[in-house]
């Protein structure tokens, strides 16, 4: 499994001529890194007597962020495997009209699955935004740049995940599904950019 590789092994596999892992797995890894960075800031806050007032709040965030880490680490492999169904569907028999109809329906179903996996990654990554401002305002200020690093990783993760959605949408004939999915992504990206801009401004202000 990709998630069990060393960092070097994953990078080497990424650089190979294999189509997976690709951008979707990288997006999942980026989101996992954001969750890990945020958890680290929480841990550094809990362990510092200077931030005793924030100890309970930050202690509560740590197990939540660990669950996000697990979700995104699993998503590294889920994304890499998501297109396998499409490949298998194209190999279905197409000799009779019935076989052609089944094959066509299956291909469309698998394309939707291939789009839904990175869509899930991107939308789940959006949830990490709720931790950013509390960490900036009440977390260990010595680690505030790690919050900023996490936010930049987060934006890249969501954008890249949505790229993988969009490339699959081009093969999906269900116009209502395509329109609704595009709407969800557009709204998410608008929210993402607005919230990250506000948080990054606060991070950089703390560094002046």
């Amino acid at each position: 499994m990709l998630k069990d590789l060393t960092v070097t092994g994953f990078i080497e596999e990424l650089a190979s001529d294999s189509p997976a892992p690709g951008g979707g797995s990288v997006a999942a890894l980026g989101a996992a890194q954001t969750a890990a960075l945020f958890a680290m800031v929480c841990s550094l806050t809990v362990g510092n007597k200077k931030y005793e007032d924030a100890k309970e709040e930050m202690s509560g965030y740590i197990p939540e962020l660990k669950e996000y880490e697990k979700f995104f680490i699993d998503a590294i492999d889920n994304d890499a495997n998501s297109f396998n169904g499409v490949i298998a569907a194209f190999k279905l028999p197409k000799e009779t009209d019935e076989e052609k109809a089944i094959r066509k329906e299956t291909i469309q179903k698998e394309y939707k699955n291939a789009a839904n996996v990175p869509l899930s990654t991107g939308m789940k990554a959006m949830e990490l935004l709720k931790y950013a401002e509390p960490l900036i305002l009440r977390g260990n200020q010595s680690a505030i740049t790690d919050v900023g690093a996490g936010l930049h990783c987060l934006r890249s993760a969501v954008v890249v995940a949505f790229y993988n959605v969009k490339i699959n949408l081009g093969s999906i004939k269900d116009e209502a599904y395509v329109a609704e999915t595009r709407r969800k992504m557009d709204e998410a990206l608008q929210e993402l950019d607005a919230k990250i801009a506000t948080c990054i401004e606060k991070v950089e202000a703390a560094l002046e």
Side-chain angles (χ1 to χ4, degrees):
M1 297 177 74
L2 293 171
K3 68 180 184 180
D4 295 324
L5 294 175
T6 63
V7 173
T8 300
F10 180 82
I11 294 300
E12 289 177 349
E13 186 66 23
L14 193 63
S16 74
D17 60 1
S18 172
S25 293
V26 169
L29 177 59
Q33 290 177 151
T34 295
L37 280 166
F38 285 2
M40 180 188 76
V41 176
C42 289
S43 295
L44 290 172
T45 305
V46 170
N48 192 316
K49 292 183 179 180
K50 182 180 177 181
Y51 300 98
E52 192 67 31
D53 290 346
K55 183 176 181 178
E56 184 176 352
E57 178 185 13
M58 297 296 156
S59 295
Y61 291 158
I62 293 172
E64 296 174 7
L65 288 163
K66 290 295 182 182
E67 285 299 312
Y68 280 108
E69 282 179 41
K70 183 180 184 302
F71 176 90
F72 294 123
I73 289 171
D74 287 341
I76 294 171
D77 282 294
N78 292 342
D79 190 274
N81 295 330
S82 66
F83 204 70
N84 291 342
V86 176
I87 295 171
F90 272 102
K91 294 178 180 179
L92 289 173
K94 50 181 178 178
E95 298 301 322
T96 67
D97 288 343
E98 182 180 3
E99 286 177 345
K100 288 177 181 177
I102 292 173
R103 179 177 178 272
K104 182 178 179 180
E105 182 180 350
T106 305
I107 288 171
Q108 287 298 300
K109 175 186 174 183
E110 293 300 335
Y111 265 124
K112 281 186 180 180
N113 179 62
N116 286 335
V117 171
L119 179 65
S120 175
T121 297
M123 298 305 291
K124 190 76 170 179
M126 290 285 298
E127 297 177 17
L128 293 173
L129 284 169
K130 65 190 174 190
Y131 298 101
E133 190 166 359
L135 290 176
I136 292 168
L137 296 178
R138 296 182 291 281
N140 190 321
Q141 293 301 292
S142 296
I144 196 168
T145 53
D146 294 296
V147 183
L151 285 167
H152 285 294
C153 285
L154 176 58
R155 187 181 189 283
S156 294
V158 175
V159 170
V160 173
F162 288 172
Y163 277 167
N164 276 41
V165 178
K166 290 174 182 177
I167 198 167
N168 285 296
L169 292 183
S171 299
I172 296 173
K173 308 302 181 185
D174 185 341
E175 294 182 1
Y177 170 86
V178 170
E180 176 63 13
T181 302
R182 288 191 182 278
R183 183 193 65 78
K184 286 180 182 178
M185 291 190 293
D186 288 344
E187 289 183 358
L189 288 172
Q190 289 177 15
E191 178 185 355
L192 180 76
D193 284 341
K195 290 186 175 180
I196 284 184
T198 299
C199 288
I200 290 297
E201 185 177 339
K202 290 177 180 178
V203 170
E204 293 184 352
L207 299 175
E208 292 179 353

